[in-house]
């Protein structure tokens, strides 16, 4: 590979290709072997060592996309998150975690950490100043997520990294919502970058995978724990993920452009109370988002006016699909009150700013005028 830094689409298509030396095919061959020679070889390869040919090469593409030295891929976002955290934590350590994080990560922390004697504190908000008073002598990690789910909160990555670096605390980010196309946390001093590749990296709602990008030293440490936890990805799926990543920039750019248009439309609609999108000047952290994101992303959320029932509305959409997950090519919506936050009481939800009429909208590649028409016809049907 050439030394010059390649353009984004060139990186997506070509970095980390597996060369088909035998037949000169245009795409990477899949090596499905779970058994490799052990004598007279440089590397002892095995799927759970995360070093089969397809795994090893795909990591180069992901590292190039996040501008880090190295990367690893996993069987899910949660395998990536749990392996990365447990690699750096031992009994008696302490972690400071941003208040609003992905539900699965929250569940992992509150249901597993006590068993290992790992202490944790959740911040009051996503401001860097809220992390400082929670620091203890044994604090090892700051864990953040930006933009966050479902209200698209923005955490100032550089401010977090600065506070952490002074105290030799490691910083980890869940960068799933932005994807490497819209945000590269490593450039702002964040140490470990994590993705649920089930979302934008996969992009077609048909792959479960995870990724971590970091320095070579940090990846080596994560690897030592990851081989014990065993969350490696099948080579067949590695190959599908490579194929998906070829269009990552094309997809996410288009989705981001559409989300901005949709946010503008929703903000001026008389049937919508409030729109949460970091690309709107009305977003409280708009300036921070502008400073640290290359694009504002393709996730947004909005509140329907009273009298428009959120479930009725979603059931009457025809193009846009109510759906549990997010970040596919197709536009989807979800009611946080029915899914991610269903286990909380109404009071607890309101404390977190989650009203019954809130809808999270994952914007796809369809033409915005078709999405707008779909929303308008659904509102018309259910409006009282
Ligand atoms: C989906 C998701 C995860 C978990 O990823 P899985 O692939 O489902 O394990 C983590 N963080 C965020 C922000 C997500 O959306």
């Amino acid at each position: 590979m050439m030394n010059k830094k390649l353009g984004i689409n060139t990186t997506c298509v070509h970095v980390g290709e597996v060369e088909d030396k035998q037949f000169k095919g245009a795409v990477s061959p899949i090596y499905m072997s779970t058994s490799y020679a052990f004598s007279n070889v440089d590397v002892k390869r095995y799927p759970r060592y995360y070093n089969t040919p397809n795994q090893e090469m795909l990591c180069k593409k992901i590292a190039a996309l996040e501008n880090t030295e190295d990367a690893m891929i996993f069987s899910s976002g949660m395998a990536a998150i749990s392996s990365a955290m447990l690699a750096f934590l031992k009994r008696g350590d302490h972690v400071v975690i941003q208040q609003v994080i992905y539900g699965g990560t929250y569940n992992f922390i509150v249901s597993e950490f006590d068993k290992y004697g790992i202490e944790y504190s959740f911040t009051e908000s996503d401001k860097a100043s809220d992390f400082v008073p929670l620091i203890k002598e044994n604090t090892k990690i700051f864990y953040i997520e930006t933009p966050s789910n479902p209200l698209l909160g923005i955490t100032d990555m550089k401010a977090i990294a600065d506070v952490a670096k002074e105290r030799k605390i490691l910083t980890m980010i869940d960068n799933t919502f932005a994807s490497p196309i819209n945000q590269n946390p490593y450039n702002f001093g964040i140490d470990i970058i994590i993705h649920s590749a089930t979302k934008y990296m996969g992009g077609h709602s048909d792959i479960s995978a995870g990724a971590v990008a970091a320095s070579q030293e940090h990846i080596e440490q994560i690897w030592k724990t990851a081989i014990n936890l065993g969350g490696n990805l099948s080579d067949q799926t590695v190959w599908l993920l490579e194929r998906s990543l070829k269009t990552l920039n094309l997809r996410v750019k288009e989705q981001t452009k559409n989300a901005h248009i949709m946010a503008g439309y929703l903000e001026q609609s008389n049937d919508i109370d409030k729109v949460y999108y970091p690309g709107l000047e009305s977003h409280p952290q708009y300036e921070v988002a502008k400073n640290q994101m290359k694009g504002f992303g393709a996730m947004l959320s909005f509140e329907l006016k009273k009298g428009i029932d959120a479930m009725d509305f979603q059931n009457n959409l025809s193009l846009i699909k109510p759906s549990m997950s997010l970040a596919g090519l197709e536009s989807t919506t979800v009611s946080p009150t029915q899914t991610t936050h269903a286990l909380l009481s109404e009071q607890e939800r309101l404390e977190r700013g989650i009203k019954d009429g809130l809808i999270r909208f994952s914007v796809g590649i369809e033409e915005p005028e078709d999405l707008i028409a779909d929303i308008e016809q659904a509102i018309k049907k259910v409006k009282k």
Side-chain angles (χ1 to χ4, degrees), residues 179-197:
S179 92
I181 301 307
N182 283 323
Q183 182 167 281
N184 293 129
Y186 206 66
N187 301 349
F188 295 86
I190 301 293
D191 298 307
I192 317 273
I193 296 106
I194 309 177
H195 287 275
S196 168

Side-chain angles (χ1 to χ4, degrees), residues 76-78 81 102 145 174 176-177 196 198-199 209 326:
S76 68
M78 283 315 301
I81 290 166
Y102 177 70
E145 192 172 314
D174 184 331
T176 301
F177 266 34
S196 168
T198 312
K199 313 297 163 52
L326 57 112

Side-chain angles (χ1 to χ4, degrees), residues 1 7 43 103 115-116 127 150 158 160 181 229 251-252 295 302 307 323 329 340 355 360:
M1 195 44 75
V43 189
K115 296 182 198 168
Y116 299 98
K127 292 197 171 52
K158 181 162 186 306
I160 295 284
I181 301 307
L229 297 176
R251 287 185 277 111
V252 173
F302 59 91
S323 165
L329 288 165
T340 48
K355 298 186 182 160
R360 189 191 68 198

Side-chain angles (χ1 to χ4, degrees), residues 92-280:
D93 286 346
H94 173 251
V95 193
V96 181
I97 302 144
Q98 178 179 314
Q99 179 210 42
V100 181
I101 52 166
Y102 177 70
T105 312
Y106 176 84
N107 196 47
F108 166 59
I109 291 164
V110 302
S111 53
E112 303 294 338
F113 276 24
D114 286 343
K115 296 182 198 168
Y116 299 98
I118 299 164
E119 299 169 23
Y120 53 88
S121 313
F122 286 97
T123 62
E124 289 281 319
S125 77
D126 41 25
K127 292 197 171 52
S129 55
D130 276 342
F131 282 66
V132 179
L134 299 174
I135 297 171
K136 304 204 254 179
E137 229 163 64
N138 53 346
T139 302
K140 290 286 149 63
I141 294 176
F142 280 179
Y143 187 94
I144 63 169
E145 192 172 314
T146 181
S148 64
N149 185 16
L151 296 177
L152 286 300
I154 297 292
T155 307
D156 186 333
M157 296 187 290
K158 181 162 186 306
I160 295 284
D162 287 349
V163 171
K165 283 218 159 58
E166 255 172 46
R167 297 161 175 87
K168 296 201 164 31
I169 294 168
L170 196 70
T171 45
M172 288 190 186
I173 187 170
D174 184 331
N175 202 30
T176 301
F177 266 34
S179 92
I181 301 307
N182 283 323
Q183 182 167 281
N184 293 129
Y186 206 66
N187 301 349
F188 295 86
I190 301 293
D191 298 307
I192 317 273
I193 296 106
I194 309 177
H195 287 275
S196 168
T198 312
K199 313 297 163 52
Y200 288 107
M201 284 186 164
H204 296 68
S205 307
D206 56 8
I207 289 175
S208 165
V212 176
S215 69
Q216 198 172 353
E217 189 190 335
H218 285 146
I219 290 293
E220 271 165 25
Q221 185 158 351
I222 295 168
W223 182 84
K224 284 181 197 158
T225 296
I227 59 169
N228 295 327
L229 297 176
N232 54 289
L233 189 59
S234 126
D235 283 294
Q236 202 129 29
T237 314
V238 173
W239 186 89
L240 276 175
L241 183 55
E242 188 209 341
R243 186 174 79 165
S244 292
L245 287 174
K246 290 181 189 184
T247 56
L248 181 70
N249 183 62
L250 293 179
R251 287 185 277 111
V252 173
K253 273 262 159 61
E254 191 73 7
Q255 287 173 272
T256 299
K257 191 182 83 192
N258 289 352
H260 216 139
I261 295 170
M262 295 309 293
Y265 156 74
L266 291 164
E267 195 172 44
Q268 58 74 49
S269 162
N270 292 328
D271 299 312
I272 309 294
D273 263 339
K274 200 167 161 56
V275 182
Y276 302 86
Y277 182 65
L280 292 175

